[in-house]
Amino acid sequence: MPTITKQKGNEGLLATQLAAGAQKHLANLTQVMFDGGTHTIAEVVTKLQSLATLRSDVDAARSTLKAKLTVERAQAPALVLFMTAFEAFVRAMFGNQPDILADFGLAPRKTRTPLTAKEQVAAAAKGEATRTARGTKGSTEKLAVKGNVTSVEITPVTVAPVTPEPAAPNAPPAPVNTGSAAK
């Protein structure tokens, strides 16, 4: 039988086989000494089987988790959209009534504080400065812009014919590519 390496996935299998080997080959011993202590064979077998059981329980839980995650990935997007639509319905129905929204686990939306007159003037000045810096224009100003073309010069493109390179005196002739390939 091949040797099992000590990896997390193989620990349970190794522990099971160690316990079986201990029961088969060491059953006639009353105690064994290792790890700085004395242990009975029954104690060794029990601890090894506990490790195997723990590992198999973890593997089973992991496969259950994978299955549950797959189901969640498939169903959650539609359910989140449903929940978002219901939240919008509740907010439309009850507005910003904090006591009722709290029953649904929602906080009232914060109202936007209006700008003071000084802040409005500053915002308008900042917007105008940004338009000037970027050179943006309104729709009427864009229509007034026309391009002028004074002349158009067309330069024809010529392709020089490809001539094959002369072959070496002792080399076989190079194959000629006709441009069509069998498909």
Side-chain angles (χ1 to χ4, degrees):
M1 182 174 278
T3 304
I4 299 171
T5 59
K6 291 184 182 179
Q7 295 175 349
K8 250 194 176 162
N10 296 335
E11 282 179 348
L13 182 59
L14 179 60
T16 301
Q17 289 184 342
L18 283 171
Q23 286 174 329
K24 183 176 181 181
H25 297 288
L26 303 176
N28 58 353
L29 298 177
T30 55
Q31 292 184 342
V32 289
M33 291 180 54
F34 63 93
D35 196 28
T38 308
H39 308 280
T40 65
I41 296 301
E43 178 187 353
V44 169
V45 169
T46 302
K47 287 188 177 188
L48 290 172
Q49 287 174 341
S50 294
L51 177 61
T53 302
L54 288 173
R55 178 55 39 204
S56 66
D57 289 349
V58 166
D59 290 341
R62 184 174 285 130
S63 64
T64 301
L65 173 66
K66 284 183 182 179
K68 296 257 184 209
L69 286 173
T70 302
V71 170
E72 180 189 26
R73 284 186 200 109
Q75 294 179 1
L79 294 173
V80 169
L81 286 174
F82 177 80
M83 180 182 68
T84 304
F86 182 69
E87 179 185 345
F89 167 76
V90 168
R91 288 189 183 279
M93 182 109 180
F94 298 108
N96 258 0
Q97 299 176 22
D99 53 340
I100 296 176
L101 290 177
D103 291 339
F104 287 99
L106 301 173
R109 295 195 189 270
K110 293 181 180 179
T111 57
R112 187 174 174 190
T113 57
L115 297 176
T116 64
K118 191 175 184 179
E119 291 171 335
Q120 287 177 349
V121 170
K126 185 176 179 181
E128 189 62 35
T130 301
R131 283 183 67 152
T132 303
R134 292 183 183 163
T136 56
K137 300 176 181 175
S139 58
T140 308
E141 293 165 328
K142 285 181 188 177
L143 291 175
V145 176
K146 302 289 182 196
N148 291 330
V149 178
T150 56
S151 67
V152 176
E153 195 172 311
I154 300 174
T155 306
V157 177
T158 57
V159 179
V162 178
T163 57
E165 294 181 22
N170 293 334
V176 177
N177 187 358
T178 60
S180 63
K183 293 182 182 175

